[in-house]
Amino acid sequence: MSDIPQERRLVTAIPGPKSAELQARRVAAVAAGVGSTLPVFTARAGGGIIEDVDGNRLIDFGSGIAVTSVGASAEAVVRRASAQLADFTHTCFMVTPYEGYVEVCEQLAELTPGDHAKKSALFNSGAEAVENAVKIARAYTKRTAVVVFDHGYHGRTNLTMGMTAKNMPYKQGFGPFAPEVYRVPVAYGYRWPTGAENAGAEASAQAIDEITKQIGAENVAAIIIEPVLGEGGFIEPAKGFLPAIARFAKDNGIVFVADEIQSGFCRTGQWFACEDEGIVPDLITTAKGIAGGLPLSAVTGRAEIMDAAHAGGLGGTYGGNPVACAGALGAIETMRELDLNGKAKRIEEVMKGRLAEMQSKLPNGDAIGDIRGRGAMIAIELVKPGTKEPDAAAAGALAKACHSEGLLVLTCGTYGNVLRFLPPLVIGEDLLNEGLDIIEQAFAQL
Ligand code: PLZ
């Protein structure tokens, strides 16, 4: 890790003058469609801290959207990626292969759920992994339909936009979308009409009924779900939902795909979130946390499914770039050595404890409608007090108040009313508590 002090420090307003100058250049040069949560320009980052160009040090509760779980400058990632950079930057695995790619696939086979024979293919982004999971499932089943869920998020390419639930900002004006994508209900406990305790059974029955009656199970190539839904609001499907859907897929020859791009690699306190209910997916998509900040993604799954695509049918110039693979091997090494699953569980304990206290003790605590998530993937859903009416303005105001105090937090949710916390798993407990103090103060002022 870079020797960046693990302390919050504010020396200017947030953003400071140098960030403001860069932001002016950015507005003139960068397309408006690419947004930023907080226009603070980064100078260096590591552990639980982001240091900006003005010398401010922010506490990081975002990890670059669940990417830098090992920190943004983890020693093993930097060491291995630097060594690889000096050896060679690229050959294209489809032209002349290299060991790092194979080693990452071996690690994926070992770490993902299930003891069946597994194979992997590597890509650059999460969306690309999802696209390829669909290609592979279609090649294997010789069927076309793809089933996705309410509140799901899968990316910004044409197919994955179509698979994503939320219109604004992801889809508006960017259609038409690919055909043969169907959306069914998910067990969103907090908002399930007959109560969270019924959500698992009722939502899975509804989803299965829609698949059989409206699509026809025999036409479905793949059912794709995030075991904890990320952008949609950190929704853990109510217990029983995932097992019922996975069983239905198995009984009907449908490829069950877990999109673990956000929830995977120790984020929820397990290597993969689907382990929580003992789910063994046929295919699993990974990205984000896999490579400590370098762009890498993967599809991993049953060897017979992965091998269904003909030779030359999968790939891409940069897929499994050697520097990114070296970064992944460094990140995985760090996760094992520092027991980042254990760290994520501890983060959950601290965060949920403090958030529950805020909910019960603060005068406006009933604005926190729900506290949820697992490991270091924790969120609060904000509502108009005494109702379940989503309060996106409150989430936005809280995020803004945290930002100006030097705590980077993100929002999410179909209704934009969820404040989410994704600290690097290596964050120190003092920083974690200081971040929670800032949230508490922001809340008290809301
Ligand atoms: N699947 C489950 O969470 C990416 C996207 C934020 P890419 N999530 C953050 C934004 O506004 O673009 C994500 C995900 C899940 C797929 C993806 C897509 O991964 O690497 O962004 O393509």
Side-chain angles (χ1 to χ4, degrees):
M1 184 167 79
S2 72
D3 52 4
I4 175 167
Q6 295 297 299
E7 282 162 21
R8 180 174 67 114
R9 178 175 80 172
L10 296 184
V11 293
T12 71
I14 301 289
K18 288 187 182 149
S19 276
E21 247 174 68
L22 286 167
Q23 176 67 5
R25 280 170 54 196
R26 173 249 179 91
V27 168
V30 180
V34 185
S36 294
T37 303
L38 177 61
V40 153
F41 282 73
T42 310
R44 52 182 190 153
I49 291 286
I50 295 172
E51 188 175 296
D52 74 11
V53 290
D54 290 288
N56 299 297
R57 294 197 194 112
L58 281 69
I59 300 175
D60 182 12
F61 274 14
S63 299
I65 322 189
V67 172
T68 51
S69 300
V70 297
S73 48
E75 188 278 329
V77 175
V78 174
R79 170 171 40 83
R80 286 182 182 246
S82 307
Q84 179 59 51
L85 260 175
D87 284 346
F88 61 96
T89 56
H90 174 83
T91 62
C92 186
F93 193 76
M94 301 184 304
V95 178
T96 55
Y98 38 87
E99 185 179 353
Y101 188 117
V102 178
E103 213 178 325
V104 169
C105 296
E106 289 168 349
Q107 291 286 332
L108 283 163
E110 191 182 317
L111 293 171
T112 52
D115 47 17
H116 50 277
K118 290 175 210 155
K119 292 194 179 185
S120 293
L122 304 184
F123 306 96
N124 304 290
S125 67
E128 222 186 325
V130 173
E131 290 247 356
N132 278 281
V134 171
K135 281 169 68 173
I136 293 163
R138 283 176 171 162
Y140 177 72
T141 58
K142 304 190 165 52
R143 305 171 178 178
T144 55
V146 173
V147 172
V148 292
F149 293 83
D150 286 339
H151 310 288
Y153 181 91
H154 300 286
R156 293 178 181 269
T157 57
N158 184 268
L159 176 60
T160 59
M161 265 194 294
M163 293 168 67
T164 290
K166 191 174 176 176
N167 178 50
M168 217 27 206
Y170 306 122
K171 303 161 79 166
Q172 176 65 36
F174 299 143
F177 303 111
E180 288 303 304
V181 175
Y182 300 89
R183 190 172 312 286
V184 298
V186 74
Y188 187 171
Y190 177 64
R191 295 198 174 275
W192 194 255
T194 58
E197 64 284 5
N198 301 315
E202 290 181 12
S204 57
Q206 272 187 31
I208 288 167
D209 185 66
E210 288 181 22
I211 296 168
T212 46
K213 299 298 185 302
Q214 299 178 23
I215 314 165
E218 67 276 23
N219 298 317
V220 178
I223 297 177
I224 304 185
I225 188 162
E226 305 157 76
V228 177
L229 288 85
E231 303 303 307
F234 282 21
I235 302 162
E236 290 176 86
K239 295 289 173 233
F241 182 80
L242 289 174
I245 299 293
R247 198 175 323 114
F248 171 78
K250 190 172 199 302
D251 292 345
N252 289 278
I254 298 167
V255 177
F256 182 80
V257 186
D259 180 348
E260 294 252 15
I261 286 164
Q262 188 153 168
S263 58
F265 279 103
C266 307
R267 179 51 58 183
T268 64
Q270 293 178 294
W271 280 99
F272 297 97
C274 59
E275 291 167 43
D276 192 58
E277 285 185 275
I279 307 284
V280 178
D282 298 313
L283 299 181
I284 176 162
T285 55
T286 53
K288 292 190 184 277
I290 191 175
L294 288 145
L296 187 73
S297 68
V299 184
T300 301
R302 294 185 190 280
E304 68 275 20
I305 301 177
M306 290 300 297
D307 279 340
H310 53 272
L314 305 177
T317 305
Y318 294 116
N321 168 271
V323 181
C325 286
L329 295 171
I332 292 167
E333 178 187 315
T334 308
M335 290 174 200
R336 290 186 200 271
E337 269 177 14
L338 302 182
D339 179 25
L340 292 192
N341 281 320
K343 291 255 193 308
K345 287 191 183 119
R346 175 67 190 152
I347 290 171
E348 170 176 353
E349 194 176 275
V350 172
M351 283 203 149
K352 280 195 166 162
R354 294 276 315 263
L355 292 167
E357 222 175 83
M358 292 179 211
Q359 187 184 39
S360 66
K361 296 215 179 113
L362 291 180
N364 56 349
D366 53 351
I368 301 178
D370 197 23
I371 301 168
R372 59 178 179 247
R374 290 205 297 273
M377 189 172 183
I378 302 290
I380 54 177
E381 173 156 3
L382 294 150
V383 292
K384 305 259 165 68
T387 73
K388 283 193 175 179
E389 200 187 319
D391 194 346
L398 276 171
K400 207 166 162 220
C402 290
H403 294 166
S404 60
E405 285 302 312
L407 172 70
L408 181 68
V409 292
L410 307 173
T411 58
C412 67
T414 298
Y415 313 107
N417 65 326
V418 177
L419 199 61
R420 61 171 153 173
F421 312 119
L422 291 161
L425 307 180
V426 294
I427 194 170
E429 205 155 311
D430 45 347
L431 281 185
L432 187 65
N433 272 303
E434 196 178 342
L436 286 157
D437 293 342
I438 292 170
I439 293 166
E440 185 165 346
Q441 284 156 20
F443 209 89
Q445 287 161 16
L446 188 66

